[in-house]
Amino acid sequence: MRLSTLKMGLAALVAAIPALAFAHPGHEHTTSFMSGFTHPMGGLDHLLAMLAIGLWAANLGGRAIWAVPSAFVGTMLIGGALAVAGVQVPFIEQGIVLSVILMGALLVGAARFPVVACAGIAGLFAVFHGAAHGLEMPLNANGAEYAVGFAAATALLHVTGIGFGIAVARFQAPVVTRITGSLIAIAGVALALA
């Protein structure tokens, strides 16, 4: 059982690796879907937040495993649509960095709230991530394809975090989750100071 969980997490990580090669400008030949897919992979802030959401959901267990990431992806799409529609979402960059710091802190503290509250926290952070994706959509991109791309990448990163969290739980090593959370929070602080 432990080996299959580890294999699932590793498979998700390996599946994400090709996208990292496109995670920077200069790939004009990519489709709108690939432009959207690579966007969350291109920034450490997005990567850390998405992985942390999945890890937190796995740590919470039960319905949170699907509810928290689903709330994030759904609300992120709304944030992206708001940005594309020209609605000003204030403090986007600060909200993204704050999401990294606070998600790390939630992991360090092994924070447990009702599932609805956890989904709400994830959804709040997702608005900022979605608005950033929407604002940075290439002008020639098909909006729907781009949105499906960044939603798919986000879900893949969540699944990777969930796989890691399940593997940690199987090995009964909660300290690994707390150490990972502290590293995420520290990286968030470094991003804030950069």
Side-chain angles (χ1 to χ4, degrees), residues 104-165:
L106 290 171
L107 290 168
V108 169
R112 303 186 76 74
F113 306 111
V115 173
V116 171
C118 295
I121 291 167
L124 175 65
F125 293 152
V127 171
F128 299 110
H129 289 269
H133 295 324
L135 285 174
E136 295 173 8
M137 180 177 75
L139 294 176
N140 61 348
N142 175 299
E145 287 180 21
Y146 182 81
V148 170
F150 73 71
T154 297
L156 178 63
L157 290 167
H158 289 332
V159 168
T160 303
I162 290 168
F164 179 67

Side-chain angles (χ1 to χ4, degrees), residues 16-121:
I17 289 172
L20 295 175
F22 292 106
H24 48 83
H27 297 285
E28 290 78 18
H29 63 282
T30 60
T31 65
S32 296
F33 173 84
M34 281 307 294
S35 293
F37 189 86
T38 58
H39 191 263
M41 307 286 188
L44 185 60
D45 50 359
H46 291 296
L47 277 169
L48 292 174
M50 305 309 158
L51 292 170
I53 289 285
L55 182 54
W56 190 42
N59 217 24
L60 295 167
R63 291 182 308 139
I65 289 178
W66 62 266
V68 171
S70 296
F72 191 99
V73 172
T75 310
M76 181 185 63
L77 288 168
I78 293 168
L82 289 172
V84 169
V87 175
Q88 294 287 344
V89 176
F91 307 111
I92 293 173
E93 289 304 318
Q94 295 88 342
I96 290 171
V97 170
L98 186 61
S99 75
V100 175
I101 296 168
L102 291 181
M103 285 309 307
L106 290 171
L107 290 168
V108 169
R112 303 186 76 74
F113 306 111
V115 173
V116 171
C118 295
I121 291 167

